[in-house]
Amino acid sequence: MTTQLDNQISLIPTLLTIQEYEKNITENPTEVTNYWYLGLALLLEGREEEAQITWMTPFLEFGEDESAEWLQQLTEILLTAAQENEVNSNYQLAWAIRQHIKGFVPDNINNFIKIIDLNIDLNIEDIETNINELIELIFQLTETPIFDEKLLFQVIEKLVQPDPVNPRPFIDKLVAVFIPYLLTSKTIIQLLTEKAEVYYRFSNYHLSIYFLKVALQLKPNNLDFIRKLIPPLQTLGGDYLQESINWGKQYLTLSQEPIDQIVGTHYLAGSLLTSCQSWEESVEAYQKHKLSLSNLLVNQTESESLIQLLAMGPILLYMEDNPSENRLLRNGLATLCQQLVWKSFPENVNTYQKRFNSLRPSLSERPLRIGYLSECFRTHSVGFLAWWLLKYHNRQEFDIYLYSLRENAHDLQQQAYKREFGDHFHQECISMVAMADKINQDKIDILVDLDSLTSYGNCAILALKPAPIQVSWLGYDATGFPTVDYFIADNYVLPESAQDYYTEKIWRLPQNYIGIDGFAVGTPTISRESLDIPENGIIYFSSQTGLKRNPDNIRLQMQIIKQVPNSYFLLKSYRANHQDLENFINPIAEAAGVDLNRLRFLPTAPTDMEHRANLAIADIVLDTYPYNGATTTLETLWMGIPIVTRVGEQFAARNSYTMMMNVGVTEGIAWSDEEYVEWGVRLGKDEKLRQEIVWKLRKSRQTSPLWNGKKFAREMENAYQQMWEIYIDSK
């Protein structure tokens, strides 16, 4: 019978049995390699003390003339044995062998690091002791240490993972002791940034931040590192927003080139707005951002750094409703970026274009292939809203492929997508070119972008144009790339004049540009009693990201509260700190003469279902402008709550308008600031009118196309077929 010991011994090709080595030593006592292998065989059998005695025998009995050579020979044999056991996952045995190597060569840094690595895997408790010993060893060295950088950061990675927010002190000491020896490394920076990008794409923002901060210890003023650091800080929100503001300011201070100024003002304005901090600073950053964009287009800059600006421009939508001007800025920027992408990857682009030329004869043999591209096939508003279309697609007439640019193994919505689409669900968390190649290899006919300017990756792939027809739907506004053919809209969400400032052809669906079956609702966690609001009080509600809040809109809301007796205003902002939101709102309320006791500031609900349940406390929801609610408006209408919205010109300022029209409610639609206040006051004072709207909204659940995901899927499929017919006819 073959034993585990036999398997372990067989890992070493030259290893014989203990008896054979003992016989060899008896016959030739001066052949030292027999002692090395006998000791190893004894160690593998668990006879450590005998192994040590065996290894020491040649040094004690045959003199010291060749001891250095013997020691090197012995450690090489032991190292080979340790490595082969590691390959075969025999970690406990590998750890034991490396402990003996450490005894023979205590200054072998790589062996020391690997012991710590195995300590972590085996959950051996003396990790900190070993790390302190390694730190002491480094301090005592008189020469530059030689070590495996990847192995070092593999260990650091494992040590940090359990709590990257508050890493244990000895981890920081370990990093610090090696920093001087990493400063001249040509590969370590790439290693760190790759790790940071991977963790960001896998939604592990704390680890992404950790590795970028290590990189910044090596190169403190590196703009590329700071640029990569700000997005995960913004995504985490809360206290991290202040840190993102500080880094944004540092980025701008260090920036010399116009492109860097655009990047810096984009991030700084975004962080300031999201955190609900200084409006004056937000406006200043925005004005610099817009001016820098304008100057860039006037000068027709062709720098390779343009690639950083692929997804720039969304901040324009939050700050002003001026699409005839701002869309042209985005279109011009998108054109410059797309030209750079094509110059950078000509072979890929040519490969894609060749496929397009051979489409006509092959398509009749198979269904139309539709690819959906997004970072949001997960717990996210886009991931939820897209689910209904994808679920109801006719799989006999359409082959559906999903291309995900963000992975979260623990996300329930993402797991649902994976189960639903199986081998047609593809993920690529680093290389956008690799994903574009995959889309081309899958012979996608129509590629549908769900994220628009929220995603750098989407923009890069759209610019490469891996599909003959490319469409933007659902996310932000259109990207403006010449490579995108259509922008999905309806008859309300964009005015008739909008085509004048879109490069994409606006494809208007017959009723609404979105359709879902509804929302799941949880159990409420707030009540009038818990908020100290009387039963007969009128509750206004506003739940939006800080990006959508501005003093002008808030002043209008305060006018409404002031004019409606016994009214209260509940506010919360996603990602913003509770106190920062209060500090932002209160001065505006006081200036408007509103008693602060009528305001209530709520924390972000831990789940979407709880958020929707808590919405039921509201009598009226007050929408934001110039960027309306989208998913939040859908949730409001589904919960049967009247809403007041200010309609503008840009796509972002007409979301609530189109949704309200599609559920048959016009009460609350305002075309001016004055109307916004009038509707807000009227709905607050007129209980009967509110009840009529509630009845309409409840009835709409059975009748409105907004709440019919299957019908919407048929309309989108009709649009795809028509787009394809137009494309084929044009060939």
Side-chain angles (χ1 to χ4, degrees):
M1 176 182 290
T2 302
T3 65
Q4 182 180 4
L5 177 60
D6 292 328
N7 289 332
Q8 292 169 347
I9 292 177
S10 69
L11 294 171
I12 315 300
T14 59
L15 203 57
L16 305 176
T17 66
I18 292 173
Q19 292 76 14
E20 288 174 313
Y21 279 121
E22 288 175 336
K23 180 181 177 183
N24 289 345
I25 289 172
T26 301
E27 295 174 352
N28 189 2
T30 59
E31 177 52 57
V32 295
T33 56
N34 288 318
Y35 293 90
W36 311 151
Y37 284 114
L38 173 59
L40 178 56
L42 290 166
L43 177 63
L44 294 175
E45 201 172 80
R47 296 157 64 178
E48 284 196 55
E49 188 174 340
E50 293 177 66
Q52 289 178 309
I53 294 171
T54 302
W55 287 326
M56 293 305 300
T57 298
F59 296 100
L60 296 173
E61 293 187 3
F62 305 139
E64 299 181 358
D65 293 342
E66 297 177 295
S67 60
E69 181 182 340
W70 292 346
L71 185 61
Q72 181 179 352
Q73 191 180 71
L74 171 58
T75 54
E76 286 177 356
I77 289 171
L78 293 179
L79 181 60
T80 299
Q83 291 170 340
E84 291 187 1
N85 275 284
E86 287 154 10
V87 168
N88 289 277
S89 303
N90 296 317
Y91 299 127
Q92 187 70 50
L93 189 56
W95 179 85
I97 295 171
R98 285 188 178 276
Q99 291 289 352
H100 288 281
I101 296 174
K102 176 184 169 185
F104 291 121
V105 193
D107 60 350
N108 185 320
I109 294 174
N110 280 335
N111 185 61
F112 223 131
I113 296 172
K114 189 61 188 180
I115 288 173
I116 297 169
D117 185 45
L118 291 167
N119 275 2
I120 299 167
D121 291 341
L122 295 168
N123 198 27
I124 296 174
E125 293 182 358
D126 66 342
I127 295 174
E128 185 171 357
T129 301
N130 277 317
I131 289 175
N132 287 334
E133 288 180 13
L134 176 58
I135 291 171
E136 185 64 28
L137 171 61
I138 298 296
F139 276 134
Q140 292 175 356
L141 291 176
T142 56
E143 297 181 356
T144 301
I146 299 173
F147 58 92
D148 184 334
E149 295 168 356
K150 287 187 177 181
L151 176 60
L152 171 65
F153 276 93
Q154 176 179 301
V155 168
I156 292 170
E157 193 170 13
K158 290 180 180 179
L159 290 168
V160 173
Q161 272 181 340
D163 188 7
V165 181
N166 300 298
R168 289 171 286 182
F170 63 80
I171 302 174
D172 288 338
K173 290 180 183 177
L174 179 64
V175 173
V177 78
F178 278 99
I179 286 290
Y181 307 109
L182 296 169
L183 291 172
T184 58
S185 170
K186 295 180 180 179
T187 60
I188 195 63
I189 295 301
Q190 182 180 354
L191 174 66
L192 288 170
T193 52
E194 284 178 356
K195 284 184 180 295
E197 289 175 8
V198 167
Y199 278 117
Y200 181 72
R201 290 289 174 188
F202 279 77
S203 304
N204 196 328
Y205 306 115
H206 291 105
L207 275 170
S208 178
I209 290 167
Y210 181 86
F211 283 109
L212 285 166
K213 286 184 176 179
V214 173
L216 280 163
Q217 290 183 57
L218 296 171
K219 292 191 175 182
N221 295 322
N222 186 284
L223 287 178
D224 188 47
F225 300 160
I226 299 174
R227 178 173 57 83
K228 288 181 169 69
L229 177 61
I230 295 173
L233 290 170
Q234 289 178 328
T235 302
L236 289 172
D239 293 337
Y240 293 96
L241 285 172
Q242 182 58 57
E243 193 174 349
S244 74
I245 291 170
N246 297 339
W247 283 111
K249 290 179 178 179
Q250 183 171 340
Y251 189 101
L252 280 173
T253 300
L254 297 169
S255 297
Q256 301 294 323
E257 300 299 324
I259 289 175
D260 292 328
Q261 288 288 312
I262 293 172
V263 172
T265 50
H266 164 81
Y267 283 129
L268 179 58
S271 294
L272 288 166
L273 288 170
T274 303
S275 65
C276 297
Q277 294 200 27
S278 171
W279 177 252
E280 291 75 18
E281 287 187 66
S282 300
V283 171
E284 181 183 359
Y286 172 71
Q287 290 172 341
K288 289 180 179 178
H289 181 71
K290 186 171 179 179
L291 179 61
S292 298
L293 278 174
S294 300
N295 291 338
L296 180 79
L297 297 180
V298 168
N299 297 326
Q300 291 291 295
T301 302
E302 295 185 359
S303 168
E304 290 185 2
S305 299
L306 268 173
I307 201 77
Q308 299 175 28
L309 307 184
L310 276 169
M312 293 289 157
I315 206 72
L316 303 171
L317 306 174
Y318 292 108
M319 295 298 288
E320 59 178 330
D321 180 23
N322 187 6
S324 60
E325 182 177 302
N326 291 342
R327 280 297 326 165
L328 296 182
L329 286 176
R330 175 56 208 176
N331 295 344
L333 177 62
T335 298
L336 283 177
C337 290
Q338 183 261 315
Q339 290 170 351
L340 174 63
V341 169
W342 279 40
K343 287 180 181 178
S344 302
F345 302 97
E347 292 184 5
N348 302 78
V349 173
N350 288 337
T351 298
Y352 308 155
Q353 296 297 316
K354 287 178 182 178
R355 178 175 73 87
F356 304 164
N357 294 331
S358 62
L359 282 173
R360 185 198 293 268
S362 62
L363 189 62
S364 60
E365 301 172 4
R366 60 171 174 79
L368 203 61
R369 290 184 180 172
I370 313 295
Y372 289 90
L373 175 68
S374 179
E375 290 188 356
C376 301
F377 294 122
R378 52 191 170 92
T379 302
H380 185 281
S381 57
V382 168
F384 173 79
L385 298 177
W387 172 261
W388 305 100
L389 168 61
L390 298 172
K391 173 185 176 181
Y392 287 126
H393 259 310
N394 185 328
R395 306 288 182 87
Q396 281 69 50
E397 294 186 16
F398 298 88
D399 278 344
I400 306 302
Y401 293 74
L402 273 57
Y403 301 94
S404 173
L405 302 183
R406 187 73 66 87
E407 183 168 354
N408 187 333
H410 305 293
D411 186 273
L412 296 179
Q413 184 71 55
Q414 187 160 102
Q415 297 310 308
Y417 272 116
K418 287 183 176 180
R419 287 193 301 271
E420 181 72 18
F421 293 94
D423 60 0
H424 280 201
F425 185 96
H426 303 291
Q427 285 187 314
E428 174 56 60
C429 291
I430 289 297
S431 172
M432 302 304 106
V433 176
M435 186 62 94
D437 285 342
K438 177 61 179 170
I439 291 166
N440 177 67
Q441 291 162 10
D442 287 340
K443 299 181 179 179
I444 296 301
D445 303 311
I446 300 177
L447 180 64
V448 185
D449 152 49
L450 303 185
D451 301 346
S452 185
L453 301 182
T454 61
S455 168
Y456 178 90
N458 278 44
C459 288
I461 291 167
L462 290 173
L464 285 164
K465 197 173 176 65
I469 299 174
Q470 299 195 146
V471 180
S472 284
W473 171 63
L474 202 58
Y476 268 38
D477 204 339
T479 62
F481 287 115
T483 52
V484 178
D485 304 279
Y486 298 104
F487 180 48
I488 300 294
D490 57 37
N491 292 320
Y492 300 113
V493 78
L494 284 175
E496 292 183 7
S497 60
Q499 192 61 72
D500 295 341
Y501 44 81
Y502 277 88
T503 57
E504 302 89 344
K505 172 70 176 175
I506 298 173
W507 191 285
R508 296 182 189 268
L509 296 175
Q511 291 179 302
N512 44 284
Y513 83 93
I514 181 68
I516 66 174
D517 280 359
F519 294 94
V521 180
T523 303
T525 56
I526 59 173
S527 65
R528 287 172 180 262
E529 182 181 3
S530 68
L531 297 173
D532 193 24
I533 296 175
E535 287 302 316
N536 61 348
I538 304 301
I539 296 180
Y540 291 89
F541 197 102
S542 174
S543 174
Q544 293 292 354
T545 170
L547 284 165
K548 297 184 181 182
R549 297 197 183 281
N550 61 79
D552 291 338
N553 185 238
I554 295 168
R555 290 188 191 101
L556 299 179
Q557 294 170 341
M558 293 306 159
Q559 287 184 42
I560 295 169
I561 304 303
K562 187 177 181 181
Q563 294 182 47
V564 177
N566 199 29
S567 64
Y568 297 82
F569 195 14
L570 274 56
L571 302 102
K572 63 178 180 178
S573 282
Y574 178 56
R575 290 182 183 161
N577 272 332
H578 186 280
Q579 191 60 52
D580 288 338
L581 176 62
E582 194 169 342
N583 293 342
F584 185 65
I585 298 290
N586 281 351
I588 302 173
E590 287 181 314
V594 173
D595 184 350
L596 298 185
N597 289 324
R598 296 169 69 182
L599 307 182
R600 302 288 188 274
F601 297 93
L602 305 178
T604 300
T607 67
D608 293 336
M609 290 176 63
E610 183 178 308
H611 159 71
R612 294 171 200 133
N614 288 342
L615 266 178
I617 199 173
D619 294 298
I620 307 108
V621 165
L622 298 179
D623 199 9
T624 48
Y625 173 86
Y627 203 118
N628 296 166
T631 303
T632 51
T633 297
L634 282 169
E635 291 170 326
T636 299
L637 298 174
W638 180 256
M639 294 301 297
I641 302 167
I643 184 170
V644 180
T645 189
R646 164 76 161 86
V647 187
E649 290 295 307
Q650 67 182 4
F651 183 87
R654 298 170 73 92
N655 265 307
S656 296
Y657 167 54
T658 189
M659 292 169 186
M660 291 175 71
M661 293 298 289
N662 275 290
V663 293
V665 174
T666 58
E667 297 87 350
I669 296 174
W671 295 89
S672 66
D673 290 349
E674 293 75 20
E675 280 191 57
Y676 183 87
V677 175
E678 289 170 5
W679 272 118
V681 172
R682 183 180 172 188
L683 286 169
K685 292 182 174 180
D686 193 336
E687 183 178 359
K688 182 180 178 182
L689 178 59
R690 293 201 306 272
Q691 290 174 345
E692 290 174 357
I693 296 171
V694 170
W695 181 83
K696 285 184 181 180
L697 291 174
R698 288 177 179 170
K699 184 179 178 182
S700 77
R701 286 192 178 191
Q702 308 302 320
T703 59
S704 171
L706 196 63
W707 311 125
N708 192 332
K710 185 177 292 186
K711 185 174 187 296
F712 177 73
R714 299 292 85 78
E715 290 178 353
M716 284 288 276
E717 289 172 348
N718 288 337
Y720 294 153
Q721 288 171 329
Q722 292 173 46
M723 291 173 189
W724 185 256
E725 289 169 3
I726 292 170
Y727 175 76
I728 291 298
D729 289 345
S730 68
K731 290 189 65 159

